[in-house]
Amino acid sequence: MKIAICLTQMKPEPWLESLTSLLPEAEVFVWQPGSPVADHAVVWAPPQAFIDEQAGLKTLFNIGAGVDALLQLRLPSELQVVRLDDAGMSVQMAEYVCHAVIRHFREFDAYERDVREGKWSYRKPHLRSDFSVGVMGLGVLGARVAKTLQAFEFPVNGWSRSAKQLPDVQCFAGMQQLDAFLASSRVLVNLLPLTAETENILNKTNMAKLPPQAYVINVARGRHLVEEDLLDLLESGHLSGATLDVFRTEPLPADHVFWTHPKITVTPHTSARTLREESAAQIANKIKALDQGHPISGLVDRRTGY
Ligand code: NDP
Ligand code: OXD
């Protein structure tokens, strides 16, 4: 069995080492033009040339949860696309989102500023019941985030494509319930996949439906957010701030206004990192299962785009 590795923006060697030791019978190699055709590939944002050369490939294992970069390529219809199933990402995402929500709710950013200026200040505590958090996307990551937020007793709303029932989460589904979801979410957390339906969903029309002083946390993809619309709503005061982990262009360009905007907190696409050892073990187990004719989880539905 042959396994090709094709990763952009990251070093392939550690993956080569991990997969070679987990699958000693396989021939694992780092793809370059002219490499032999593999049975399976482990990829992150591969070029079209890789797909075109690897005709006959059976499975593409994405080393992340979001498959938008893969689905933009021309892929043979029979090629299976497999996402990572959690692999240690959901707990990181829950940490990140809870940190951002609590930092905003408790005004720790303002306290940090005061302390830097030597001020011993107090602020009037917000009411937790006024701080409902709306999670867009109730999949592997969103469901974990919703559950973790409940441990801090925030009221939690969720929005997904199909109707869901999650304990103590007020669940909304589909476009017909989007407005009601937005109107009842003081903090909006975006954990949707990037698809034709969700691109630019964080636009002025939708964000204006959030309650006054709402706060936006985008941890999914930069192309969900219309940047100028966010800036306008921050300027008008309708939104009180935003925490952004993902951007239309990454790395965020050095002269981008988000870097220094007083109401925006930026992190460098780091809310839930791919953990190599856990992820390589998951992929190796799925390759063994496929080899033995067993079904695997994490198959992407190419029609819905996630
Ligand atoms: P899943 O595929 O498990 O879940 C997606 C959720 O979004 C589902 O609940 C789905 O609804 C919902 N959804 C999809 N389309 C729509 C729509 N049109 N309207 C309403 N709801 C919709 O994704 P994950 O939770 O694993 O990941 C979400 C995204 O997070 C990834 O696609 C990726 O872009 C991003 N991500 C970011 C990372 C970072 O470091 N910043 C790390 C990892 C992922 P339903 O359940 O009804 O199908
Ligand atoms: C992912 C990511 O999709 O890292 O896994 O953004």
Side-chain angles (χ1 to χ4, degrees), residues 88-129:
M89 278 192 185
S90 72
V91 65
Q92 296 178 68
M93 193 55 94
E95 282 165 355
Y96 182 100
V97 171
C98 288
H99 171 84
V101 171
I102 292 167
R103 181 168 181 262
H104 175 59
F105 173 64
R106 296 289 305 275
E107 300 191 67
F108 286 138
D109 46 352
Y111 280 113
E112 279 163 20
R113 276 197 304 276
D114 286 354
V115 166
R116 272 199 299 275
E117 291 168 14
K119 281 193 209 149
W120 182 274
S121 60
Y122 283 117
R123 279 154 208 280
K124 186 167 179 278
H126 293 294
L127 279 182
R128 201 173 298 263
S129 53

mmCIF file of all heavy atoms in Angstrom, residues 88-129:
data_model
loop_
_atom_site.group_PDB
_atom_site.id
_atom_site.type_symbol
_atom_site.label_atom_id
_atom_site.label_comp_id
_atom_site.label_asym_id
_atom_site.label_seq_id
_atom_site.Cartn_x
_atom_site.Cartn_y
_atom_site.Cartn_z
ATOM 1 N N GLY A 88 -8.648 15.649 19.511
ATOM 2 C CA GLY A 88 -8.118 16.627 20.481
ATOM 3 C C GLY A 88 -8.435 18.067 20.145
ATOM 4 O O GLY A 88 -7.984 18.988 20.831
ATOM 5 N N MET A 89 -9.239 18.307 19.082
ATOM 6 C CA MET A 89 -9.531 19.696 18.701
ATOM 7 C C MET A 89 -10.676 20.294 19.510
ATOM 8 O O MET A 89 -10.662 21.484 19.818
ATOM 9 C CB MET A 89 -9.944 19.766 17.235
ATOM 10 C CG MET A 89 -8.775 19.785 16.319
ATOM 11 S SD MET A 89 -9.358 20.216 14.675
ATOM 12 C CE MET A 89 -7.845 20.006 13.813
ATOM 13 N N SER A 90 -11.689 19.484 19.840
ATOM 14 C CA SER A 90 -12.879 20.105 20.436
ATOM 15 C C SER A 90 -12.580 20.660 21.822
ATOM 16 O O SER A 90 -13.110 21.708 22.194
ATOM 17 C CB SER A 90 -14.064 19.137 20.442
ATOM 18 O OG SER A 90 -13.873 18.135 21.392
ATOM 19 N N VAL A 91 -11.709 20.000 22.585
ATOM 20 C CA VAL A 91 -11.408 20.540 23.916
ATOM 21 C C VAL A 91 -10.625 21.848 23.785
ATOM 22 O O VAL A 91 -10.851 22.803 24.548
ATOM 23 C CB VAL A 91 -10.683 19.488 24.808
ATOM 24 C CG1 VAL A 91 -9.312 19.118 24.283
ATOM 25 C CG2 VAL A 91 -10.540 20.024 26.232
ATOM 26 N N GLN A 92 -9.753 21.932 22.790
ATOM 27 C CA GLN A 92 -9.014 23.193 22.583
ATOM 28 C C GLN A 92 -9.984 24.308 22.184
ATOM 29 O O GLN A 92 -9.870 25.446 22.631
ATOM 30 C CB GLN A 92 -7.997 23.047 21.459
ATOM 31 C CG GLN A 92 -6.888 22.046 21.699
ATOM 32 C CD GLN A 92 -5.987 21.988 20.463
ATOM 33 O OE1 GLN A 92 -5.291 22.924 20.142
ATOM 34 N NE2 GLN A 92 -6.016 20.864 19.764
ATOM 35 N N MET A 93 -10.933 23.959 21.302
ATOM 36 C CA MET A 93 -11.877 24.978 20.845
ATOM 37 C C MET A 93 -12.751 25.437 22.015
ATOM 38 O O MET A 93 -13.046 26.634 22.150
ATOM 39 C CB MET A 93 -12.727 24.403 19.707
ATOM 40 C CG MET A 93 -13.513 25.428 18.968
ATOM 41 S SD MET A 93 -12.500 26.773 18.318
ATOM 42 C CE MET A 93 -12.144 26.223 16.657
ATOM 43 N N ALA A 94 -13.137 24.492 22.868
ATOM 44 C CA ALA A 94 -13.947 24.865 24.033
ATOM 45 C C ALA A 94 -13.138 25.792 24.951
ATOM 46 O O ALA A 94 -13.674 26.792 25.457
ATOM 47 C CB ALA A 94 -14.400 23.608 24.770
ATOM 48 N N GLU A 95 -11.868 25.495 25.148
ATOM 49 C CA GLU A 95 -11.019 26.376 25.985
ATOM 50 C C GLU A 95 -10.975 27.778 25.399
ATOM 51 O O GLU A 95 -11.125 28.778 26.092
ATOM 52 C CB GLU A 95 -9.555 25.888 25.982
ATOM 53 C CG GLU A 95 -9.229 24.728 26.846
ATOM 54 C CD GLU A 95 -7.856 24.123 26.478
ATOM 55 O OE1 GLU A 95 -7.202 24.545 25.499
ATOM 56 O OE2 GLU A 95 -7.465 23.211 27.195
ATOM 57 N N TYR A 96 -10.727 27.819 24.093
ATOM 58 C CA TYR A 96 -10.549 29.121 23.432
ATOM 59 C C TYR A 96 -11.823 29.961 23.534
ATOM 60 O O TYR A 96 -11.786 31.130 23.912
ATOM 61 C CB TYR A 96 -10.181 28.887 21.960
ATOM 62 C CG TYR A 96 -9.925 30.163 21.175
ATOM 63 C CD1 TYR A 96 -8.633 30.599 20.925
ATOM 64 C CD2 TYR A 96 -10.976 30.930 20.686
ATOM 65 C CE1 TYR A 96 -8.393 31.770 20.204
ATOM 66 C CE2 TYR A 96 -10.751 32.097 19.980
ATOM 67 C CZ TYR A 96 -9.456 32.505 19.730
ATOM 68 O OH TYR A 96 -9.233 33.662 19.025
ATOM 69 N N VAL A 97 -12.959 29.343 23.189
ATOM 70 C CA VAL A 97 -14.212 30.110 23.156
ATOM 71 C C VAL A 97 -14.605 30.524 24.576
ATOM 72 O O VAL A 97 -14.991 31.677 24.817
ATOM 73 C CB VAL A 97 -15.330 29.315 22.450
ATOM 74 C CG1 VAL A 97 -16.673 30.012 22.606
ATOM 75 C CG2 VAL A 97 -14.993 29.137 20.966
ATOM 76 N N CYS A 98 -14.482 29.612 25.545
ATOM 77 C CA CYS A 98 -14.833 29.983 26.928
ATOM 78 C C CYS A 98 -13.917 31.109 27.402
ATOM 79 O O CYS A 98 -14.374 32.054 28.064
ATOM 80 C CB CYS A 98 -14.725 28.775 27.860
ATOM 81 S SG CYS A 98 -16.051 27.602 27.574
ATOM 82 N N HIS A 99 -12.648 31.039 27.049
ATOM 83 C CA HIS A 99 -11.717 32.105 27.441
ATOM 84 C C HIS A 99 -12.193 33.443 26.864
ATOM 85 O O HIS A 99 -12.253 34.451 27.581
ATOM 86 C CB HIS A 99 -10.313 31.763 26.947
ATOM 87 C CG HIS A 99 -9.327 32.872 27.108
ATOM 88 N ND1 HIS A 99 -8.652 33.106 28.274
ATOM 89 C CD2 HIS A 99 -8.934 33.837 26.258
ATOM 90 C CE1 HIS A 99 -7.885 34.170 28.136
ATOM 91 N NE2 HIS A 99 -8.029 34.629 26.919
ATOM 92 N N ALA A 100 -12.535 33.442 25.570
ATOM 93 C CA ALA A 100 -12.941 34.697 24.923
ATOM 94 C C ALA A 100 -14.253 35.222 25.518
ATOM 95 O O ALA A 100 -14.397 36.427 25.756
ATOM 96 C CB ALA A 100 -13.082 34.483 23.416
ATOM 97 N N VAL A 101 -15.210 34.317 25.764
ATOM 98 C CA VAL A 101 -16.501 34.753 26.316
ATOM 99 C C VAL A 101 -16.290 35.312 27.730
ATOM 100 O O VAL A 101 -16.787 36.386 28.076
ATOM 101 C CB VAL A 101 -17.517 33.575 26.342
ATOM 102 C CG1 VAL A 101 -18.780 33.962 27.109
ATOM 103 C CG2 VAL A 101 -17.875 33.134 24.925
ATOM 104 N N ILE A 102 -15.519 34.589 28.539
ATOM 105 C CA ILE A 102 -15.344 35.009 29.937
ATOM 106 C C ILE A 102 -14.524 36.302 30.009
ATOM 107 O O ILE A 102 -14.820 37.202 30.801
ATOM 108 C CB ILE A 102 -14.693 33.862 30.758
ATOM 109 C CG1 ILE A 102 -15.682 32.704 30.871
ATOM 110 C CG2 ILE A 102 -14.252 34.355 32.133
ATOM 111 C CD1 ILE A 102 -15.092 31.405 31.376
ATOM 112 N N ARG A 103 -13.534 36.424 29.158
ATOM 113 C CA ARG A 103 -12.714 37.646 29.145
ATOM 114 C C ARG A 103 -13.606 38.863 28.860
ATOM 115 O O ARG A 103 -13.481 39.907 29.495
ATOM 116 C CB ARG A 103 -11.628 37.496 28.065
ATOM 117 C CG ARG A 103 -10.698 38.670 27.953
ATOM 118 C CD ARG A 103 -9.501 38.287 27.088
ATOM 119 N NE ARG A 103 -8.581 39.396 26.974
ATOM 120 C CZ ARG A 103 -8.537 40.231 25.943
ATOM 121 N NH1 ARG A 103 -9.360 40.064 24.922
ATOM 122 N NH2 ARG A 103 -7.677 41.221 25.924
ATOM 123 N N HIS A 104 -14.542 38.673 27.926
ATOM 124 C CA HIS A 104 -15.448 39.768 27.587
ATOM 125 C C HIS A 104 -16.477 39.995 28.710
ATOM 126 O O HIS A 104 -16.671 41.125 29.173
ATOM 127 C CB HIS A 104 -16.145 39.441 26.261
ATOM 128 C CG HIS A 104 -17.175 40.438 25.873
ATOM 129 N ND1 HIS A 104 -16.886 41.771 25.690
ATOM 130 C CD2 HIS A 104 -18.526 40.313 25.672
ATOM 131 C CE1 HIS A 104 -18.001 42.422 25.384
ATOM 132 N NE2 HIS A 104 -18.993 41.563 25.374
ATOM 133 N N PHE A 105 -17.094 38.912 29.160
ATOM 134 C CA PHE A 105 -18.147 39.009 30.184
ATOM 135 C C PHE A 105 -17.612 39.655 31.468
ATOM 136 O O PHE A 105 -18.253 40.509 32.067
ATOM 137 C CB PHE A 105 -18.683 37.599 30.451
ATOM 138 C CG PHE A 105 -19.643 37.484 31.592
ATOM 139 C CD1 PHE A 105 -20.876 38.124 31.551
ATOM 140 C CD2 PHE A 105 -19.329 36.723 32.715
ATOM 141 C CE1 PHE A 105 -21.767 38.009 32.611
ATOM 142 C CE2 PHE A 105 -20.210 36.608 33.770
ATOM 143 C CZ PHE A 105 -21.433 37.254 33.724
ATOM 144 N N ARG A 106 -16.419 39.255 31.875
ATOM 145 C CA ARG A 106 -15.851 39.766 33.139
ATOM 146 C C ARG A 106 -15.030 41.039 32.929
ATOM 147 O O ARG A 106 -14.431 41.552 33.867
ATOM 148 C CB ARG A 106 -14.977 38.669 33.778
ATOM 149 C CG ARG A 106 -15.738 37.416 34.208
ATOM 150 C CD ARG A 106 -16.617 37.663 35.424
ATOM 151 N NE ARG A 106 -15.844 38.204 36.523
ATOM 152 C CZ ARG A 106 -15.143 37.461 37.412
ATOM 153 N NH1 ARG A 106 -15.190 36.150 37.336
ATOM 154 N NH2 ARG A 106 -14.444 38.023 38.369
ATOM 155 N N GLU A 107 -14.943 41.476 31.664
ATOM 156 C CA GLU A 107 -14.197 42.698 31.304
ATOM 157 C C GLU A 107 -12.729 42.621 31.737
ATOM 158 O O GLU A 107 -12.138 43.608 32.179
ATOM 159 C CB GLU A 107 -14.872 43.942 31.905
ATOM 160 C CG GLU A 107 -16.297 44.127 31.406
ATOM 161 C CD GLU A 107 -16.869 45.487 31.782
ATOM 162 O OE1 GLU A 107 -16.375 46.481 31.260
ATOM 163 O OE2 GLU A 107 -17.799 45.513 32.611
ATOM 164 N N PHE A 108 -12.148 41.454 31.614
ATOM 165 C CA PHE A 108 -10.746 41.296 32.018
ATOM 166 C C PHE A 108 -9.809 42.151 31.156
ATOM 167 O O PHE A 108 -8.758 42.573 31.622
ATOM 168 C CB PHE A 108 -10.322 39.824 31.959
ATOM 169 C CG PHE A 108 -10.895 38.980 33.077
ATOM 170 C CD1 PHE A 108 -11.384 37.705 32.833
ATOM 171 C CD2 PHE A 108 -10.946 39.465 34.382
ATOM 172 C CE1 PHE A 108 -11.916 36.929 33.858
ATOM 173 C CE2 PHE A 108 -11.476 38.688 35.414
ATOM 174 C CZ PHE A 108 -11.969 37.416 35.155
ATOM 175 N N ASP A 109 -10.225 42.384 29.884
ATOM 176 C CA ASP A 109 -9.389 43.249 29.029
ATOM 177 C C ASP A 109 -9.316 44.656 29.619
ATOM 178 O O ASP A 109 -8.243 45.266 29.688
ATOM 179 C CB ASP A 109 -9.893 43.252 27.579
ATOM 180 C CG ASP A 109 -11.405 43.434 27.454
ATOM 181 O OD1 ASP A 109 -12.107 43.404 28.504
ATOM 182 O OD2 ASP A 109 -11.888 43.623 26.333
ATOM 183 N N ALA A 110 -10.460 45.160 30.105
ATOM 184 C CA ALA A 110 -10.484 46.509 30.689
ATOM 185 C C ALA A 110 -9.684 46.527 32.003
ATOM 186 O O ALA A 110 -8.939 47.473 32.276
ATOM 187 C CB ALA A 110 -11.920 46.933 30.931
ATOM 188 N N TYR A 111 -9.834 45.469 32.809
ATOM 189 C CA TYR A 111 -9.047 45.402 34.054
ATOM 190 C C TYR A 111 -7.544 45.377 33.748
ATOM 191 O O TYR A 111 -6.746 46.015 34.435
ATOM 192 C CB TYR A 111 -9.435 44.161 34.874
ATOM 193 C CG TYR A 111 -10.715 44.341 35.677
ATOM 194 C CD1 TYR A 111 -11.854 43.619 35.376
ATOM 195 C CD2 TYR A 111 -10.767 45.250 36.731
ATOM 196 C CE1 TYR A 111 -13.030 43.786 36.112
ATOM 197 C CE2 TYR A 111 -11.942 45.423 37.474
ATOM 198 C CZ TYR A 111 -13.066 44.696 37.156
ATOM 199 O OH TYR A 111 -14.223 44.875 37.879
ATOM 200 N N GLU A 112 -7.162 44.630 32.710
ATOM 201 C CA GLU A 112 -5.724 44.571 32.351
ATOM 202 C C GLU A 112 -5.213 45.970 32.006
ATOM 203 O O GLU A 112 -4.116 46.347 32.414
ATOM 204 C CB GLU A 112 -5.507 43.639 31.150
ATOM 205 C CG GLU A 112 -5.462 42.163 31.532
ATOM 206 C CD GLU A 112 -5.668 41.237 30.330
ATOM 207 O OE1 GLU A 112 -5.472 41.676 29.168
ATOM 208 O OE2 GLU A 112 -6.050 40.080 30.551
ATOM 209 N N ARG A 113 -6.044 46.703 31.245
ATOM 210 C CA ARG A 113 -5.632 48.071 30.878
ATOM 211 C C ARG A 113 -5.473 48.932 32.133
ATOM 212 O O ARG A 113 -4.483 49.636 32.298
ATOM 213 C CB ARG A 113 -6.674 48.706 29.950
ATOM 214 C CG ARG A 113 -6.506 48.343 28.488
ATOM 215 C CD ARG A 113 -7.272 49.313 27.590
ATOM 216 N NE ARG A 113 -8.689 49.412 27.904
ATOM 217 C CZ ARG A 113 -9.640 48.568 27.464
ATOM 218 N NH1 ARG A 113 -9.303 47.560 26.665
ATOM 219 N NH2 ARG A 113 -10.895 48.730 27.793
ATOM 220 N N ASP A 114 -6.464 48.836 33.033
ATOM 221 C CA ASP A 114 -6.417 49.652 34.259
ATOM 222 C C ASP A 114 -5.180 49.307 35.086
ATOM 223 O O ASP A 114 -4.487 50.184 35.592
ATOM 224 C CB ASP A 114 -7.680 49.409 35.110
ATOM 225 C CG ASP A 114 -8.903 50.081 34.504
ATOM 226 O OD1 ASP A 114 -8.741 50.812 33.499
ATOM 227 O OD2 ASP A 114 -10.013 49.862 35.022
ATOM 228 N N VAL A 115 -4.918 48.016 35.230
ATOM 229 C CA VAL A 115 -3.784 47.585 36.065
ATOM 230 C C VAL A 115 -2.474 48.097 35.470
ATOM 231 O O VAL A 115 -1.585 48.570 36.198
ATOM 232 C CB VAL A 115 -3.793 46.042 36.220
ATOM 233 C CG1 VAL A 115 -2.472 45.530 36.777
ATOM 234 C CG2 VAL A 115 -4.948 45.625 37.123
ATOM 235 N N ARG A 116 -2.379 48.068 34.144
ATOM 236 C CA ARG A 116 -1.155 48.589 33.497
ATOM 237 C C ARG A 116 -0.943 50.070 33.828
ATOM 238 O O ARG A 116 0.174 50.542 33.909
ATOM 239 C CB ARG A 116 -1.224 48.389 31.983
ATOM 240 C CG ARG A 116 -0.673 47.026 31.554
ATOM 241 C CD ARG A 116 -0.308 47.008 30.074
ATOM 242 N NE ARG A 116 -1.452 47.277 29.220
ATOM 243 C CZ ARG A 116 -2.322 46.343 28.804
ATOM 244 N NH1 ARG A 116 -2.137 45.088 29.138
ATOM 245 N NH2 ARG A 116 -3.339 46.670 28.045
ATOM 246 N N GLU A 117 -2.085 50.769 34.047
ATOM 247 C CA GLU A 117 -1.980 52.210 34.389
ATOM 248 C C GLU A 117 -1.949 52.416 35.895
ATOM 249 O O GLU A 117 -2.099 53.538 36.393
ATOM 250 C CB GLU A 117 -3.186 52.963 33.797
ATOM 251 C CG GLU A 117 -3.134 53.031 32.286
ATOM 252 C CD GLU A 117 -4.467 53.519 31.701
ATOM 253 O OE1 GLU A 117 -5.317 54.038 32.452
ATOM 254 O OE2 GLU A 117 -4.639 53.337 30.481
ATOM 255 N N GLY A 118 -1.811 51.325 36.673
ATOM 256 C CA GLY A 118 -1.729 51.442 38.135
ATOM 257 C C GLY A 118 -3.059 51.786 38.784
ATOM 258 O O GLY A 118 -3.096 52.333 39.883
ATOM 259 N N LYS A 119 -4.177 51.461 38.109
ATOM 260 C CA LYS A 119 -5.504 51.807 38.676
ATOM 261 C C LYS A 119 -6.127 50.593 39.367
ATOM 262 O O LYS A 119 -6.203 49.516 38.762
ATOM 263 C CB LYS A 119 -6.459 52.224 37.547
ATOM 264 C CG LYS A 119 -6.271 53.614 37.061
ATOM 265 C CD LYS A 119 -7.500 53.980 36.195
ATOM 266 C CE LYS A 119 -7.102 54.994 35.159
ATOM 267 N NZ LYS A 119 -7.863 54.875 33.938
ATOM 268 N N TRP A 120 -6.592 50.784 40.596
ATOM 269 C CA TRP A 120 -7.334 49.740 41.334
ATOM 270 C C TRP A 120 -8.813 50.049 41.112
ATOM 271 O O TRP A 120 -9.388 50.901 41.782
ATOM 272 C CB TRP A 120 -6.966 49.839 42.817
ATOM 273 C CG TRP A 120 -7.599 48.803 43.682
ATOM 274 C CD1 TRP A 120 -8.831 48.869 44.269
ATOM 275 C CD2 TRP A 120 -7.028 47.564 44.078
ATOM 276 N NE1 TRP A 120 -9.075 47.744 44.991
ATOM 277 C CE2 TRP A 120 -7.974 46.913 44.901
ATOM 278 C CE3 TRP A 120 -5.817 46.913 43.820
ATOM 279 C CZ2 TRP A 120 -7.746 45.669 45.475
ATOM 280 C CZ3 TRP A 120 -5.589 45.677 44.395
ATOM 281 C CH2 TRP A 120 -6.546 45.058 45.203
ATOM 282 N N SER A 121 -9.443 49.391 40.096
ATOM 283 C CA SER A 121 -10.794 49.809 39.703
ATOM 284 C C SER A 121 -11.792 48.665 39.883
ATOM 285 O O SER A 121 -11.396 47.499 39.929
ATOM 286 C CB SER A 121 -10.779 50.218 38.228
ATOM 287 O OG SER A 121 -10.375 49.108 37.451
ATOM 288 N N TYR A 122 -13.062 49.022 40.008
ATOM 289 C CA TYR A 122 -14.120 48.003 40.006
ATOM 290 C C TYR A 122 -15.132 48.333 38.925
ATOM 291 O O TYR A 122 -15.380 49.510 38.652
ATOM 292 C CB TYR A 122 -14.862 47.980 41.354
ATOM 293 C CG TYR A 122 -14.085 47.295 42.450
ATOM 294 C CD1 TYR A 122 -13.668 48.000 43.573
ATOM 295 C CD2 TYR A 122 -13.767 45.948 42.356
ATOM 296 C CE1 TYR A 122 -12.945 47.369 44.578
ATOM 297 C CE2 TYR A 122 -13.040 45.309 43.359
ATOM 298 C CZ TYR A 122 -12.639 46.032 44.462
ATOM 299 O OH TYR A 122 -11.926 45.413 45.439
ATOM 300 N N ARG A 123 -15.675 47.326 38.303
ATOM 301 C CA ARG A 123 -16.744 47.522 37.322
ATOM 302 C C ARG A 123 -17.976 46.774 37.811
ATOM 303 O O ARG A 123 -17.831 45.724 38.432
ATOM 304 C CB ARG A 123 -16.303 46.929 35.974
ATOM 305 C CG ARG A 123 -15.408 47.844 35.225
ATOM 306 C CD ARG A 123 -14.492 47.097 34.276
ATOM 307 N NE ARG A 123 -13.292 47.889 34.129
ATOM 308 C CZ ARG A 123 -13.198 48.948 33.334
ATOM 309 N NH1 ARG A 123 -14.215 49.297 32.583
ATOM 310 N NH2 ARG A 123 -12.093 49.641 33.296
ATOM 311 N N LYS A 124 -19.129 47.285 37.430
ATOM 312 C CA LYS A 124 -20.378 46.628 37.857
ATOM 313 C C LYS A 124 -20.499 45.284 37.125
ATOM 314 O O LYS A 124 -20.403 45.262 35.889
ATOM 315 C CB LYS A 124 -21.546 47.541 37.485
ATOM 316 C CG LYS A 124 -22.882 47.083 37.991
ATOM 317 C CD LYS A 124 -23.907 48.211 37.837
ATOM 318 C CE LYS A 124 -25.263 47.778 38.322
ATOM 319 N NZ LYS A 124 -26.007 47.029 37.361
ATOM 320 N N PRO A 125 -20.653 44.186 37.870
ATOM 321 C CA PRO A 125 -20.747 42.891 37.178
ATOM 322 C C PRO A 125 -21.949 42.836 36.229
ATOM 323 O O PRO A 125 -23.014 43.358 36.543
ATOM 324 C CB PRO A 125 -20.922 41.874 38.302
ATOM 325 C CG PRO A 125 -20.486 42.579 39.546
ATOM 326 C CD PRO A 125 -20.731 44.045 39.329
ATOM 327 N N HIS A 126 -21.750 42.202 35.063
ATOM 328 C CA HIS A 126 -22.891 41.968 34.151
ATOM 329 C C HIS A 126 -23.734 40.833 34.705
ATOM 330 O O HIS A 126 -23.230 39.962 35.424
ATOM 331 C CB HIS A 126 -22.387 41.525 32.765
ATOM 332 C CG HIS A 126 -21.644 42.591 32.040
ATOM 333 N ND1 HIS A 126 -22.238 43.744 31.600
ATOM 334 C CD2 HIS A 126 -20.349 42.658 31.658
ATOM 335 C CE1 HIS A 126 -21.339 44.488 30.980
ATOM 336 N NE2 HIS A 126 -20.181 43.861 31.009
ATOM 337 N N LEU A 127 -24.977 40.809 34.281
ATOM 338 C CA LEU A 127 -25.838 39.686 34.651
ATOM 339 C C LEU A 127 -25.594 38.534 33.686
ATOM 340 O O LEU A 127 -25.695 38.710 32.467
ATOM 341 C CB LEU A 127 -27.309 40.101 34.531
ATOM 342 C CG LEU A 127 -27.922 40.892 35.676
ATOM 343 C CD1 LEU A 127 -29.395 41.154 35.374
ATOM 344 C CD2 LEU A 127 -27.783 40.094 36.975
ATOM 345 N N ARG A 128 -25.300 37.373 34.240
ATOM 346 C CA ARG A 128 -25.040 36.200 33.386
ATOM 347 C C ARG A 128 -26.274 35.883 32.525
ATOM 348 O O ARG A 128 -26.159 35.486 31.377
ATOM 349 C CB ARG A 128 -24.699 35.015 34.276
ATOM 350 C CG ARG A 128 -23.952 33.896 33.617
ATOM 351 C CD ARG A 128 -23.530 32.884 34.669
ATOM 352 N NE ARG A 128 -22.638 33.504 35.625
ATOM 353 C CZ ARG A 128 -21.313 33.429 35.567
ATOM 354 N NH1 ARG A 128 -20.732 32.730 34.623
ATOM 355 N NH2 ARG A 128 -20.567 34.028 36.454
ATOM 356 N N SER A 129 -27.451 36.127 33.117
ATOM 357 C CA SER A 129 -28.673 35.809 32.364
ATOM 358 C C SER A 129 -28.823 36.710 31.133
ATOM 359 O O SER A 129 -29.549 36.385 30.209
ATOM 360 C CB SER A 129 -29.898 35.923 33.265
ATOM 361 O OG SER A 129 -29.889 37.194 33.884
#
